[in-house]
């Protein structure tokens, strides 16, 4: 069986076409069962007792995230999502609050940076929005910010950013690099051991919704000052315990841990290669649909393809039409998703490793029908 066939046979049958893994992938039977079993165990022995039985699987989940990021398992904390992880990190930030990020930064991240009092400046990019590593190095030498933040793969454009190159530059200059890997974990190589990296469960790793993760480098973790409980109380708790403080959906964390384990078992390198291939096939089949322009280059090594309307089609209406008439799930991405880069809303197509060329051709036909009809 191919990787795609294995991935598909491990999941419930899809109703229609699911081309939306950048929003929320499909969970496997094993993930759904592990989540359910934990909830059942909570009902049997009590939620605060059941959590002890979940410790080994949660530890395995942390170790799997550590393997994917190059960081240590005991500095991996579960969160409710990527945004929550960034907020936890920035609200705990020690010292000066200046940050450099891409002009195409994710809108909700910009909101979290602003809410935590960070003054944001733009890193240099080329005409496609890809980081210019050499120009960035010069800029960071001339005027280093307290933090460099890189969204390694954006939500609104399937561009693989030069993460490894920027990580080298930041390491040489001693500037902490924080990586938004919400789209990159399970999709691109993120094992660059940055100051911190965070992501979501439900996207390419295909875990449950409502879970995220934050992994922090040991040099940074000791310097963080989590906001709650107040640092001046000097409670005898580790920084990671403070960061994980609060109520949690343990069953969902168990499911996420199983999902990351499945990803490692499938082979991250094989998954990455297959996702790059799926992206290429998607762009190829969509390159001549009237009324749309494929934004990414054919060979961009990601499975995120975005379509910008060229003749006035409304991506929001097209998305709704595709669900209503063909049970095809895609994403409508509005300009606020990357307010300093996007000039028009786009339709995003994000198939996982199991997509077939027949299905992609079906989608191209459905898109043409939707465009003519809305
Ligand atoms: C989805 C996404 C987020 C936010 O993730 P949540 O888990 O919904 O908080 C952040 N950054 C990028 C690039 C995303 O695609």
């Amino acid at each position: 069986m191919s990787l795609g066939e294995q991935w598909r046979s491990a999941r419930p049958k899809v109703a229609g076409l699911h081309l939306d893994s950048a929003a929320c992938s499909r969970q496997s039977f094993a993930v759904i069962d592990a989540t359910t079993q934990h909830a059942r165990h909570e009902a049997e022995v009590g939620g605060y007792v059941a959590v002890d039985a979940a410790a080994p699987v949660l530890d395995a989940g942390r170790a799997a995230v550590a393997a994917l990021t190059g960081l240590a398992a005991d500095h991996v904390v579960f969160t409710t999502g990527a945004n929550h992880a960034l907020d936890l990190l920035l609200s705990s930030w020690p010292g000066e609050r200046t940050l450099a990020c891409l002009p195409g930064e994710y809108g909700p991240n910009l909101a979290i940076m602003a809410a935590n009092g960070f003054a944001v400046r733009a890193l240099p990019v080329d005409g496609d929005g890809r980081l210019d590593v050499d120009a960035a190095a010069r800029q960071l030498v001339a005027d280093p910010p307290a933090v460099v933040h890189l969204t390694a793969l954006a939500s609104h454009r399937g561009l693989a950013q030069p993460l490894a190159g920027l990580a080298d530059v930041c390491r040489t200059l001693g500037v902490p690099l924080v990586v938004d890997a919400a789209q990159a974990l399970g999709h691109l190589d993120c094992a660059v051991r940055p100051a911190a990296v965070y992501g979501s469960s439900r996207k390419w790793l295909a875990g449950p919704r409502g879970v995220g993760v934050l992994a922090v480098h040991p040099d940074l973790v000791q310097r963080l000052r989590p906001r709650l409980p107040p640092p001046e109380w000097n409670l005898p708790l580790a920084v990671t315990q403070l960061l994980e403080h609060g109520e949690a959906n343990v069953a969902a964390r168990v499911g996420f841990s199983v999902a990351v384990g499945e990803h490692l078992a499938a082979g991250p390198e094989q998954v990455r290669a297959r996702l790059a291939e799926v992206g290429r096939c998607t762009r190829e089949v969509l390159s001549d649909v009237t009324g749309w322009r494929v934004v990414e280059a054919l060979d961009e090594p990601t499975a995120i393809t975005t379509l910008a309307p060229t003749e006035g089609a409304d991506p929001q209406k097209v998305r709704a039409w595709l669900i209503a008439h063909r049970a095809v799930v895609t994403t409508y991405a509005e300009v606020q998703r990357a307010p300093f880069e996007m000039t028009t809303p786009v339709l995003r197509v994000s198939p996982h490793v199991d997509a077939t060329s027949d299905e992609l051709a079906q989608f191209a036909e459905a898109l043409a029908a939707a465009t003519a009809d809305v």
Side-chain angles (χ1 to χ4, degrees):
M1 251 200 282
S2 70
L3 176 64
E5 286 164 345
Q6 280 176 39
W7 200 87
R8 180 163 293 197
S9 66
R11 295 170 156 70
K13 188 169 151 31
V14 62
L17 273 187
H18 187 279
L19 305 175
D20 210 22
S21 285
C24 186
S25 283
R26 303 198 307 116
Q27 297 175 58
S28 70
F29 290 119
V31 169
I32 296 165
D33 288 350
T35 307
T36 312
Q37 263 165 35
H38 184 79
R40 182 181 292 269
H41 196 50
E42 286 185 342
E44 287 163 354
V45 303
Y48 288 83
V49 178
V51 70
D52 292 336
V57 67
L58 296 176
D59 284 346
R62 288 188 185 91
V65 170
L68 291 177
T69 58
L71 293 166
D74 51 355
H75 294 151
V76 172
V77 300
F78 294 110
T79 66
T80 61
N83 278 169
H84 177 214
L86 179 62
D87 192 39
L88 267 180
L89 183 72
L90 295 188
S91 65
S92 309
W93 197 262
E96 187 193 310
R97 297 195 170 192
T98 52
L99 179 152
C101 63
L102 297 172
E105 186 55 64
Y106 186 61
N109 286 354
L110 292 170
I112 292 166
M113 292 163 187
N116 284 292
F118 278 77
V120 170
R121 63 184 83 147
L123 291 165
V125 292
D126 69 12
D128 295 329
R130 195 188 313 270
L131 179 76
D132 178 337
V133 177
D134 293 335
R138 290 192 293 275
Q139 177 182 314
L140 294 172
V141 168
D143 188 13
V147 196
V148 173
H149 180 278
L150 182 72
T151 295
L153 172 57
S155 161
H156 68 288
R157 191 173 290 180
L159 222 64
Q161 295 290 345
L163 171 60
L166 184 63
D168 283 345
V169 167
C170 288
R171 196 171 297 117
T172 307
L173 299 179
V175 181
L177 171 66
V178 172
V179 179
D180 174 343
Q183 296 294 351
L185 265 185
H187 197 161
L188 299 173
D189 187 355
C190 296
V192 299
R193 205 171 151 74
V197 50
Y198 62 93
S200 307
S201 148
R202 70 185 185 282
K203 297 177 178 176
W204 299 93
L205 290 170
R209 294 192 59 175
V211 184
V213 74
L214 169 66
V216 188
H217 192 284
D219 293 347
L220 177 60
V221 87
Q222 299 318 327
R223 295 172 49 226
L224 291 179
R225 304 260 295 164
R227 194 175 62 87
L228 284 174
E232 54 277 15
W233 289 12
N234 286 317
L235 294 185
L237 293 169
V239 170
T240 48
Q241 285 174 307
L242 297 173
L243 292 174
E244 249 183 30
H245 157 90
E247 171 54 0
N249 185 340
V250 177
R253 291 179 176 182
V254 166
F256 172 55
S257 297
V258 171
V260 198
E262 287 188 320
H263 174 74
L264 288 191
E269 223 170 294
Q270 284 81 348
V271 172
R272 291 199 290 269
R274 175 63 191 151
L275 288 175
E277 184 177 61
V278 166
R280 182 182 218 290
C281 295
T282 308
R283 293 176 201 122
E284 224 159 39
V285 76
L286 296 177
S287 61
D288 54 4
V289 178
T290 307
W292 299 91
R293 178 178 65 87
V294 173
V295 174
E296 297 76 16
L298 201 62
D299 279 332
E300 193 63 35
T302 74
I304 293 179
T305 295
T306 52
L307 294 156
T310 54
E311 292 168 20
D314 178 344
Q316 188 170 22
K317 288 192 181 141
V318 169
R319 171 186 180 269
W321 189 101
L322 288 166
I323 293 171
H325 296 270
R326 300 290 173 88
V328 176
V329 193
T330 60
T331 300
Y332 151 67
E334 71 291 11
V335 175
Q336 292 87 305
R337 213 174 264 244
F340 298 109
E341 185 166 87
M342 291 178 78
T343 52
T344 168
V346 295
L347 189 71
R348 182 183 65 189
V349 185
S350 52
H352 216 298
V353 291
D354 61 329
T356 65
S357 37
D358 271 3
E359 289 169 345
L360 295 172
Q362 258 177 53
F363 172 67
E365 184 280 318
L367 177 62
T371 311
D373 203 38
V374 298

